[in-house]
Structures are given as C-alpha cells and as structure tokens.
Amino acid sequence: MEQLGDICLKQGWITQEQLDQLLILAQETEVSFAEVLKESKFVTEEEYTMALGIQLGLPYIQPLELNIDNNLLKLISPRQAEKLRALPLAFDNNCLTLVTDSPLNLDGFDQLKSTLNCRIKLAIASRTQMTEALNKYYGASLESVATVLEDFDESDLNQFQNLTEDAVSNIAQESMANEAPIIRLVNTIISGAVKAGASDIHLEPFEDEIKLRYRIDGVLQETSSPPKALYPAVVSRIKLMAGMDITERRIPQDGRIRLRLDNRDLDLRVAVAPTLFGEEVVMRILNRESILLGLSELGFNATNLKIFKELISKPHGMILVTGPTGSGKTTTLYAALQEVNQPTRKIITIEDPIEYQLKGVNQMQVNPKLNFTFAQGLRTIVRHDPDIILVGEIRDRETAEVAIQSALTGHLVFATLHTNDAPSAFTRLIDMGIEEFLVASTVLGVLAQRLVRKICPHCRAPYQANTVETDLINEYQLGNLQLTYGAGCEKCNYIGYRGQMGIFELLVINEEMERLIMERSNTGKIREAAIRRGMGTLREDGLSKVKEGYTTLAEVIRVTRD
C-alpha cells in the first residue's frame, strides 16, 4: 500500500522538506504519520481525505453536493448513520454504496453488511462534509447528542456496564443523574425534540440498544440514541426533573417537568413504565406559548366551517369533538373557545393537562391525587356561573352525567370523547349509562377529526398512482386526479411532509337523528341517515384535501383506515 506521505508528495500537496519534517515529528512523538499529517498545516482537510482515498482505493466524494434519495436514507437508521459516519448513495445489484469519513471501521461495516444481507462499497468524504451531510439528512439532533456523548469516557460507561440493575438503582443513580454530562444529555434530547417540532419524545429500552424517537407531525421518527450503559442515569435524571421516585422501578409513574428553553415556557407531561428491559419513558411536549389557530386555519371546508360556527353560537347544549389521541381535538376546541370568547360570556375549562393558556378564560387542572377529577371539577364549575364550559375529556359515566346536566341547565358545553367517528359518539354515551332521551335532547352535534400531514411545498412533485390508489380514485369517482408527493428536501428534513391539517366529518342533530338515538339504533343506521342529510365522511374530506394538493392519498388512507 502506497504511503500517505508519498501520495501527498506526488500530488504536489507537500514538499520533500515538509515530508521529512513530518516523518521526524511522528518518530519523536510516537504518533502515527497519518495523525501527524492530518493535524499539520501542510495539507488541507480535503487533501488529506483525498490522499487517504487514493491509499485505500476509494473515490473521493462531496456528499453536500449530492441530492440523496429519501428512500435510500431509509436503508440505514439515523443511529447507524451516526455510528458509522456514513450515508447511503446508491443500491444496485444487491450492493449498497456508502460515503464515509471513517472507512477503517471494518467491524461496523461488516455488521451492516450482515444486517442488510448485501455487499457494501465505500467512498470517502472529509470529516467536515460528513458532519454537515449527516446534519442535513438526519437532523441537527444527531450532531448535538453525539457532541454531548463525547463528554463520557470509557470509565463512565464501564461504571454502569459493570453494575447490576439493583446496584445502579441503589448506589449510583442519583449521583450520576446530577452529573453535568447527564444533565446536558437529557436537555439536548428535549431541545432536539422541540427544534424538530415534535409533540412527543419516546425513550425505549431493548435487549441490546436504546431507541430514541420523536413524534413529528403525528409519525414517529427515530433519531440518535444514548448508549444503553447510560440509560439508567438518563431515566433517573428525567424522573428527578418530573418529581418521581427514582428508586421505584416496579410500577408506572407520572409526573411533569416545567422548564424554560430558548426563551419559551414548556411543560412536559412524563409517563414512566416498567418493561422487560428497563423503564420506558414518554414525554408529551406542551408548549404553553404556542400560537393558537383560528377555526378557519384548521382545515374546515366552507360548508363545515359555517355549520360549526352556527353550532358553537348556540346558547346551550353539548358539542362533542371525537377522535383518537393526537388527532387535534384540543386544538379545535381552543379555536372554538377563541371564536366565542367575549366580555359578555364567562368561560371555564377543566382539563388534564392545560395545554395552552387562553386569555380571558378560567382554566382548571384536574388532580386525581387530591380527588379533583373531571366530574368533581364540573360540579365546582357550575357553581361559578359560567356561560360556556369545556370538559377536557369525558372518560366515565359520572363525568358524562354532570356534563349532560350542565347542558340541560342552560350551559353550552364543549367536550372531547374517544370514538372513531361522529355517529359512534351517541352509542358511546349510551354505553356509559346515559339515558337515550338525555343524549338526544342535549347533544347539538358531533365533530370527528383526524390529522393528515401536509406535503412539503418546497419539494412537491407529481407521481403515478399505484393499484390501491387507482381503485380508491375510481371508487370515489375522482376522475383525472393529479397526484403529488414530497420528494424530500432540507426544509422538511427529507421526510416529504411539513406541518399538519385536519380532516373532519360533522354530524348535526335533527329530528331523524333524535328518533334513531331514542330507538338505540346502531352506528351504521345513524351514519347512513347522516350521509343522506349531507354529512361528508372523514375519507371524503381527506380526498378533497388530496384534490386540492394539500396532502397525499397515502396519508388519507393511513388515518382513515377502518
């Protein structure tokens, strides 16, 4: 193998005199010639990398000048990319081409080769180019977490590696949780999620690794994770911040973290639960200073927006917003409260948790530890002479009964309910034990919703429908629909989507609906009657968003799948 010094000499990057100086320095300091050359001022980083490429027979590439396909990036996880310092460039004939600044990591590339069951071909890039490229394609959190992890030496890792779970819990957890590197690591995990626009942080322990995932625009995205040896200290730090018992690892615990980050006040709702390989942590990010959206910004079509505004203008009755967790129900209700918030009306909410601060609205937080539940909060609220009441969630019969009674006694009640669609809300209330005539006489309307990701406007591109999509287009008679998708760009972190919007189905109570509810008709009959009266379904509203170019068919199919 040709020596690096000779290569640089031939290329004209150094002189013979400089080469002799470097050889003497390497001998005197007992440092490898490669390290001495790399740290010298005789060659640039690019020249050193090119010389190493020539020595190893690898082509030199500048990954920042390339547009790497988003599908290729999915071949290796962000954590693998960071660990190997590599990015995929091509995949042909069962051969994966990678660019890396660490081509001598033979064990790492052999392991990837075995995992993917394919051949691997390497190209080389400079350290600076790879750092910027990894940041570009896999997100800023990769670099920041990696930087924090550099504060840990082998003795730190070995200290945890050699301790049993009980020993970690009883001896080292609290002291290590308060060490500066662990504090920085946890803060970096949280700040990385906030910068990425994530709603949730998931830390999940498995047999051989820890997974760190952010939920961005409703979908989990894997990112750089702490090593397994540090995980007990990371969990302990989070539990300390959330006011939990760090020595108790056998039962689930809930807590809350309040902090100020980048001049923003944040609340994190923290849930910890024991699993087979350790404690899993989920943190819901509640940004109290988030910009509240108006009703017209949520994604309502003109018809539904007009009807919904009419409903929330009623003097009394109940309006339900339904959907699974994370479907934007609270955002919709807050937008409705902003619409009806006037000096002549008193509005009180009972929530768990209070996700946003609403000016001019009295907001109350449930506290189960003190037996202050939704039902108890509602009983308190009605004694404070409100005009409008918001119930964060109807979870049980007691809460439902108090909410119904509030609607019957002249209050306008907004509430959320966990059902898959609008017609199911009535059977859900009846199943809770509410009398049919009470449901029929108090509920004004039900809004079911989902959130779909919006196509990134900076990388929108046309594509041809696949078989499933073609069948859907034909079923709903959409004609010559021009389909688009997000190809992936720097603006959307190469995901192809940026932001979310709602899709809705709005069911308004009429005499026919009241009769069906009184007869305890099933959800199917209620749905058929609502559609006859003009209700558009969730899928139909989603397809209209596809037609308008806001989202993709794949998104609509994903969130409206039965």
PDB file of all heavy atoms in Angstrom, residues 66-80:
ATOM      1  N   LEU A  66     -24.559  16.455  -3.399  1.00  0.00           N
ATOM      2  CA  LEU A  66     -25.450  15.447  -3.957  1.00  0.00           C
ATOM      3  C   LEU A  66     -26.866  15.629  -3.418  1.00  0.00           C
ATOM      4  O   LEU A  66     -27.064  16.199  -2.347  1.00  0.00           O
ATOM      5  CB  LEU A  66     -24.953  14.040  -3.599  1.00  0.00           C
ATOM      6  CG  LEU A  66     -23.520  13.692  -4.012  1.00  0.00           C
ATOM      7  CD1 LEU A  66     -23.157  12.319  -3.468  1.00  0.00           C
ATOM      8  CD2 LEU A  66     -23.371  13.720  -5.530  1.00  0.00           C
ATOM      9  N   ASN A  67     -27.835  15.130  -4.149  1.00  0.00           N
ATOM     10  CA  ASN A  67     -29.217  15.040  -3.670  1.00  0.00           C
ATOM     11  C   ASN A  67     -29.533  13.565  -3.431  1.00  0.00           C
ATOM     12  O   ASN A  67     -29.818  12.827  -4.369  1.00  0.00           O
ATOM     13  CB  ASN A  67     -30.190  15.636  -4.690  1.00  0.00           C
ATOM     14  CG  ASN A  67     -30.108  17.140  -4.739  1.00  0.00           C
ATOM     15  OD1 ASN A  67     -29.991  17.782  -3.706  1.00  0.00           O
ATOM     16  ND2 ASN A  67     -30.138  17.707  -5.936  1.00  0.00           N
ATOM     17  N   ILE A  68     -29.424  13.143  -2.192  1.00  0.00           N
ATOM     18  CA  ILE A  68     -29.601  11.731  -1.864  1.00  0.00           C
ATOM     19  C   ILE A  68     -31.089  11.423  -1.750  1.00  0.00           C
ATOM     20  O   ILE A  68     -31.833  12.124  -1.063  1.00  0.00           O
ATOM     21  CB  ILE A  68     -28.869  11.381  -0.552  1.00  0.00           C
ATOM     22  CG1 ILE A  68     -27.373  11.698  -0.705  1.00  0.00           C
ATOM     23  CG2 ILE A  68     -29.072   9.911  -0.198  1.00  0.00           C
ATOM     24  CD1 ILE A  68     -26.570  11.471   0.558  1.00  0.00           C
ATOM     25  N   ASP A  69     -31.530  10.374  -2.413  1.00  0.00           N
ATOM     26  CA  ASP A  69     -32.940   9.987  -2.430  1.00  0.00           C
ATOM     27  C   ASP A  69     -33.408   9.591  -1.033  1.00  0.00           C
ATOM     28  O   ASP A  69     -32.708   8.902  -0.292  1.00  0.00           O
ATOM     29  CB  ASP A  69     -33.142   8.814  -3.401  1.00  0.00           C
ATOM     30  CG  ASP A  69     -34.611   8.464  -3.555  1.00  0.00           C
ATOM     31  OD1 ASP A  69     -35.290   9.120  -4.353  1.00  0.00           O
ATOM     32  OD2 ASP A  69     -35.060   7.548  -2.855  1.00  0.00           O
ATOM     33  N   ASN A  70     -34.616  10.036  -0.686  1.00  0.00           N
ATOM     34  CA  ASN A  70     -35.167   9.768   0.640  1.00  0.00           C
ATOM     35  C   ASN A  70     -35.334   8.276   0.904  1.00  0.00           C
ATOM     36  O   ASN A  70     -35.176   7.805   2.033  1.00  0.00           O
ATOM     37  CB  ASN A  70     -36.516  10.480   0.781  1.00  0.00           C
ATOM     38  CG  ASN A  70     -36.969  10.567   2.226  1.00  0.00           C
ATOM     39  OD1 ASN A  70     -36.161  10.824   3.111  1.00  0.00           O
ATOM     40  ND2 ASN A  70     -38.239  10.356   2.461  1.00  0.00           N
ATOM     41  N   ASN A  71     -35.655   7.486  -0.131  1.00  0.00           N
ATOM     42  CA  ASN A  71     -35.810   6.035   0.038  1.00  0.00           C
ATOM     43  C   ASN A  71     -34.484   5.372   0.379  1.00  0.00           C
ATOM     44  O   ASN A  71     -34.440   4.388   1.122  1.00  0.00           O
ATOM     45  CB  ASN A  71     -36.398   5.420  -1.228  1.00  0.00           C
ATOM     46  CG  ASN A  71     -37.845   5.821  -1.437  1.00  0.00           C
ATOM     47  OD1 ASN A  71     -38.594   5.948  -0.475  1.00  0.00           O
ATOM     48  ND2 ASN A  71     -38.239   6.045  -2.674  1.00  0.00           N
ATOM     49  N   LEU A  72     -33.383   5.916  -0.151  1.00  0.00           N
ATOM     50  CA  LEU A  72     -32.063   5.374   0.188  1.00  0.00           C
ATOM     51  C   LEU A  72     -31.743   5.633   1.659  1.00  0.00           C
ATOM     52  O   LEU A  72     -31.181   4.768   2.335  1.00  0.00           O
ATOM     53  CB  LEU A  72     -30.989   6.028  -0.693  1.00  0.00           C
ATOM     54  CG  LEU A  72     -30.777   5.452  -2.090  1.00  0.00           C
ATOM     55  CD1 LEU A  72     -29.786   6.305  -2.856  1.00  0.00           C
ATOM     56  CD2 LEU A  72     -30.271   4.016  -2.017  1.00  0.00           C
ATOM     57  N   LEU A  73     -32.107   6.800   2.142  1.00  0.00           N
ATOM     58  CA  LEU A  73     -31.803   7.145   3.528  1.00  0.00           C
ATOM     59  C   LEU A  73     -32.466   6.200   4.515  1.00  0.00           C
ATOM     60  O   LEU A  73     -31.990   6.004   5.627  1.00  0.00           O
ATOM     61  CB  LEU A  73     -32.254   8.589   3.816  1.00  0.00           C
ATOM     62  CG  LEU A  73     -31.496   9.687   3.062  1.00  0.00           C
ATOM     63  CD1 LEU A  73     -32.160  11.036   3.301  1.00  0.00           C
ATOM     64  CD2 LEU A  73     -30.036   9.731   3.490  1.00  0.00           C
ATOM     65  N   LYS A  74     -33.593   5.608   4.097  1.00  0.00           N
ATOM     66  CA  LYS A  74     -34.318   4.695   4.979  1.00  0.00           C
ATOM     67  C   LYS A  74     -33.615   3.343   5.137  1.00  0.00           C
ATOM     68  O   LYS A  74     -33.980   2.552   5.998  1.00  0.00           O
ATOM     69  CB  LYS A  74     -35.735   4.470   4.447  1.00  0.00           C
ATOM     70  CG  LYS A  74     -36.598   5.727   4.479  1.00  0.00           C
ATOM     71  CD  LYS A  74     -37.960   5.484   3.857  1.00  0.00           C
ATOM     72  CE  LYS A  74     -38.802   6.757   3.832  1.00  0.00           C
ATOM     73  NZ  LYS A  74     -40.110   6.541   3.176  1.00  0.00           N
ATOM     74  N   LEU A  75     -32.595   3.083   4.288  1.00  0.00           N
ATOM     75  CA  LEU A  75     -31.900   1.797   4.359  1.00  0.00           C
ATOM     76  C   LEU A  75     -31.099   1.657   5.648  1.00  0.00           C
ATOM     77  O   LEU A  75     -30.909   0.552   6.153  1.00  0.00           O
ATOM     78  CB  LEU A  75     -30.973   1.620   3.146  1.00  0.00           C
ATOM     79  CG  LEU A  75     -31.671   1.434   1.791  1.00  0.00           C
ATOM     80  CD1 LEU A  75     -30.653   1.386   0.676  1.00  0.00           C
ATOM     81  CD2 LEU A  75     -32.513   0.161   1.793  1.00  0.00           C
ATOM     82  N   ILE A  76     -30.618   2.768   6.176  1.00  0.00           N
ATOM     83  CA  ILE A  76     -29.917   2.706   7.455  1.00  0.00           C
ATOM     84  C   ILE A  76     -30.545   3.747   8.384  1.00  0.00           C
ATOM     85  O   ILE A  76     -30.955   4.819   7.941  1.00  0.00           O
ATOM     86  CB  ILE A  76     -28.391   2.926   7.330  1.00  0.00           C
ATOM     87  CG1 ILE A  76     -28.066   4.308   6.763  1.00  0.00           C
ATOM     88  CG2 ILE A  76     -27.764   1.853   6.480  1.00  0.00           C
ATOM     89  CD1 ILE A  76     -26.579   4.602   6.730  1.00  0.00           C
ATOM     90  N   SER A  77     -30.631   3.413   9.649  1.00  0.00           N
ATOM     91  CA  SER A  77     -31.282   4.292  10.617  1.00  0.00           C
ATOM     92  C   SER A  77     -30.379   5.478  10.924  1.00  0.00           C
ATOM     93  O   SER A  77     -29.166   5.436  10.692  1.00  0.00           O
ATOM     94  CB  SER A  77     -31.569   3.517  11.910  1.00  0.00           C
ATOM     95  OG  SER A  77     -30.351   3.207  12.566  1.00  0.00           O
ATOM     96  N   PRO A  78     -30.950   6.559  11.470  1.00  0.00           N
ATOM     97  CA  PRO A  78     -30.116   7.697  11.878  1.00  0.00           C
ATOM     98  C   PRO A  78     -28.997   7.298  12.836  1.00  0.00           C
ATOM     99  O   PRO A  78     -27.888   7.805  12.735  1.00  0.00           O
ATOM    100  CB  PRO A  78     -31.122   8.637  12.549  1.00  0.00           C
ATOM    101  CG  PRO A  78     -32.423   8.328  11.891  1.00  0.00           C
ATOM    102  CD  PRO A  78     -32.381   6.840  11.638  1.00  0.00           C
ATOM    103  N   ARG A  79     -29.323   6.376  13.750  1.00  0.00           N
ATOM    104  CA  ARG A  79     -28.290   5.977  14.703  1.00  0.00           C
ATOM    105  C   ARG A  79     -27.150   5.222  14.002  1.00  0.00           C
ATOM    106  O   ARG A  79     -25.977   5.430  14.304  1.00  0.00           O
ATOM    107  CB  ARG A  79     -28.909   5.104  15.787  1.00  0.00           C
ATOM    108  CG  ARG A  79     -27.888   4.722  16.863  1.00  0.00           C
ATOM    109  CD  ARG A  79     -28.533   4.006  18.006  1.00  0.00           C
ATOM    110  NE  ARG A  79     -27.537   3.693  19.024  1.00  0.00           N
ATOM    111  CZ  ARG A  79     -27.780   3.042  20.136  1.00  0.00           C
ATOM    112  NH1 ARG A  79     -29.001   2.643  20.390  1.00  0.00           N
ATOM    113  NH2 ARG A  79     -26.837   2.790  21.002  1.00  0.00           N
ATOM    114  N   GLN A  80     -27.500   4.328  13.051  1.00  0.00           N
ATOM    115  CA  GLN A  80     -26.456   3.624  12.305  1.00  0.00           C
ATOM    116  C   GLN A  80     -25.615   4.602  11.498  1.00  0.00           C
ATOM    117  O   GLN A  80     -24.384   4.470  11.428  1.00  0.00           O
ATOM    118  CB  GLN A  80     -27.099   2.595  11.367  1.00  0.00           C
ATOM    119  CG  GLN A  80     -27.673   1.374  12.058  1.00  0.00           C
ATOM    120  CD  GLN A  80     -28.404   0.478  11.078  1.00  0.00           C
ATOM    121  OE1 GLN A  80     -29.219   0.941  10.288  1.00  0.00           O
ATOM    122  NE2 GLN A  80     -28.115  -0.809  11.129  1.00  0.00           N
TER     123      GLN A  80
END
